[in-house]
Amino acid sequence: MTLPPPFDWRAAGIGPGPDVPADRRVTRDNWRTWPFTRWAFQHARELVPSRALPRAERPVPLIARPIDTAALAIDDGEGRQLDFDGFLARSYADALIILHRGEMLVEHYANGMTPATPHMAFSITKSLVGLVAERLIAAGTLDPDLRAGDVVPELRPSGFAGATLRQLLDMTDGTAFDEDYANPDADVHRYSAAYWTPAAGHGGVLAALPALVGTDALPGQAFRYRTPVGDVVGWMLRRATGKALATLVAEQVWLPAGCGDEAYMLVDTAGMEIAGTGFNATARDLARLALWLMAPDQRALVERLLAGGDRALWSAAMPPRPATGSYRGFWWIDHGAVPALVANGVYGQRLWIVPNEALAVIAFGSHPIVSNRFTEPLYDGLFASLRAILPG
């Protein structure tokens, strides 16, 4: 597939408002389609209502130790080698930070983005919500065997009702839902109206979730990744604790990690924070989150995640990949020779953490294609190249 070249939204005149020519005007209807994504993913709260997170009073300092990126030779997954600039262009990166042993080796921005610019993280949002749930479970505040329909009676008509919190966090609840972004008739496009389209999404996800009544497996019998599961867990967390989701994310993750830049969660058409997507933050604050997760005092949490979910179920759902991965607590787990935690978001968002090597990559992007199948091989190549040139 031939893809359009990346461009800077400022030079192209992309933006909102009546004074912008119609073919370059960003609206609430087109903001998730190319080329409007180039502007929109850095300005989501100007289009969709949001709820801000508090900032740490003393943000964790980030220490820079730049390396020469000329040493990076990145396999693009198709047999070609890219230099670092070629990788950035092919991945449509808006921001990229590489951390190693507590220091920033690379901090790169493009497309008008700056260190202070929040960017859409998409499904990395789920991974933050997963951290909240895992910490509350570890503290004894939540029982992982709680069933969705018991915590949230409104979900009893849905396919989620009999699934436990643990099964939901590991995406093995069995509720039927088609998340094929390339299929215009897929469930995900109708469901997302509850996020973004006031006229069609009246009532938000709290109205949309009970209507998802189908199942394609018994709870605990199959792994399938689906965005509404994040919203089910978000609803359970609110109901079980009596707190807003933004408050829980701030208390359990954002403030403990020392994140100090602007961050916010988009809210759905009913005014509730979206748990399945919509978190916005700076690349530097995701770097602080990675440093926090790699710190010794979070080792128990990380080890529980790295233990992973059911590898056989993951392998059955992800052919032809080898059974070296799983899914746990809304994180993708790499069980390779050096285990890694991975949080992904569509359009090229990445948070890749290798605790045993004190190595992490944070990336924001605005790729023309929703699915990450175009960027995943590129990031695999970057990770392999980093491991080749950095000491373990």
Side-chain angles (χ1 to χ4, degrees):
M1 177 184 292
T2 301
L3 298 174
F7 65 89
D8 190 312
W9 61 265
R10 298 169 300 180
I14 297 285
D19 295 333
V20 178
D23 63 340
R24 284 170 279 171
R25 185 181 307 149
V26 185
T27 69
R28 188 155 178 169
D29 293 326
N30 68 17
W31 70 280
R32 289 170 293 116
T33 59
W34 181 271
F36 310 106
T37 51
R38 296 291 279 177
W39 178 89
F41 292 171
Q42 299 176 44
H43 300 87
R45 65 183 160 193
E46 297 176 41
L47 299 163
V48 181
S50 63
R51 189 157 294 135
L53 267 69
R55 310 184 197 190
E57 292 183 5
R58 295 180 178 83
V60 169
L62 296 172
I63 302 167
R65 181 174 60 84
I67 62 168
D68 183 1
T69 55
L72 291 168
I74 300 160
D75 189 326
D76 71 351
E78 299 177 3
R80 294 184 293 268
Q81 295 288 306
L82 300 174
D83 61 15
F84 189 60
D85 288 341
F87 163 82
L88 294 170
R90 286 277 296 277
S91 62
Y92 294 79
D94 294 332
L96 183 77
I97 291 177
I98 299 172
L99 295 171
H100 188 232
R101 296 180 177 176
E103 299 174 316
M104 287 195 303
L105 307 188
V106 172
E107 184 178 25
H108 168 85
Y109 298 98
N111 188 32
M113 194 161 170
T114 75
T117 308
H119 192 287
M120 273 285 284
F122 287 100
S123 285
I124 293 175
T125 310
K126 295 185 186 69
S127 301
L128 294 173
V129 172
L131 291 176
V132 172
E134 296 292 350
R135 281 171 60 81
L136 292 175
I137 289 169
T141 305
L142 280 181
D143 182 348
D145 294 325
L146 286 171
R147 297 190 183 278
D150 294 334
V151 180
V152 183
E154 295 93 328
L155 287 170
R156 287 175 183 166
S158 76
F160 302 106
T164 66
L165 177 59
R166 171 51 60 204
Q167 290 163 343
L168 291 159
L169 286 167
D170 295 353
M171 296 276 185
T172 62
D173 56 280
T175 306
F177 188 85
D178 182 1
E179 189 139 349
D180 181 1
Y181 291 97
N183 175 9
D185 295 322
D187 296 329
V188 68
H189 300 301
R190 290 186 292 275
Y191 179 79
S192 65
Y195 292 158
W196 321 122
T197 313
H202 180 70
V205 300
L206 304 191
L209 288 172
L212 298 177
V213 298
T215 58
D216 53 21
L218 293 173
Q221 297 300 304
F223 166 78
R224 283 208 310 122
Y225 179 89
R226 289 139 301 132
T227 286
V229 180
D231 295 314
V232 172
V233 170
W235 199 352
M236 292 177 71
L237 293 176
R238 293 186 194 99
R239 188 63 58 83
T241 65
K243 295 182 177 182
L245 190 59
T247 300
L248 290 170
V249 171
E251 289 179 349
Q252 295 294 325
V253 178
W254 213 240
L255 294 177
C259 299
D261 296 327
E262 287 188 272
Y264 56 94
M265 301 182 77
L266 300 184
V267 301
D268 68 13
T269 57
M272 299 293 287
E273 303 100 322
I274 301 168
T277 186
F279 192 83
N280 288 256
T282 64
R284 284 186 172 183
D285 268 349
L286 282 191
R288 292 181 174 105
L289 175 66
L291 289 172
W292 178 65
L293 286 171
M294 292 188 289
D297 60 352
Q298 297 306 312
R299 191 64 191 177
L301 169 63
V302 168
E303 289 292 346
R304 289 194 300 272
L305 290 171
L306 288 176
D310 191 310
R311 300 191 197 187
L313 295 184
W314 186 92
S315 184
M318 306 289 285
R321 300 186 185 197
T324 58
S326 70
Y327 194 82
R328 185 72 165 179
F330 289 162
W331 287 78
W332 300 91
I333 311 302
D334 183 344
H335 295 289
V338 185
L341 297 173
V342 185
N344 291 333
V346 289
Y347 301 98
Q349 322 316 317
R350 288 287 187 284
L351 175 55
W352 180 75
I353 304 172
V354 186
N356 291 344
E357 293 183 347
L359 177 63
V361 173
I362 297 92
F364 285 133
S366 48
H367 198 278
I369 306 299
V370 180
S371 170
N372 280 328
R373 67 187 181 91
F374 286 92
T375 54
E376 188 167 317
L378 294 170
Y379 279 99
D380 286 346
L382 174 65
F383 303 155
S385 182
L386 285 170
R387 281 176 164 155
I389 68 169
L390 295 175

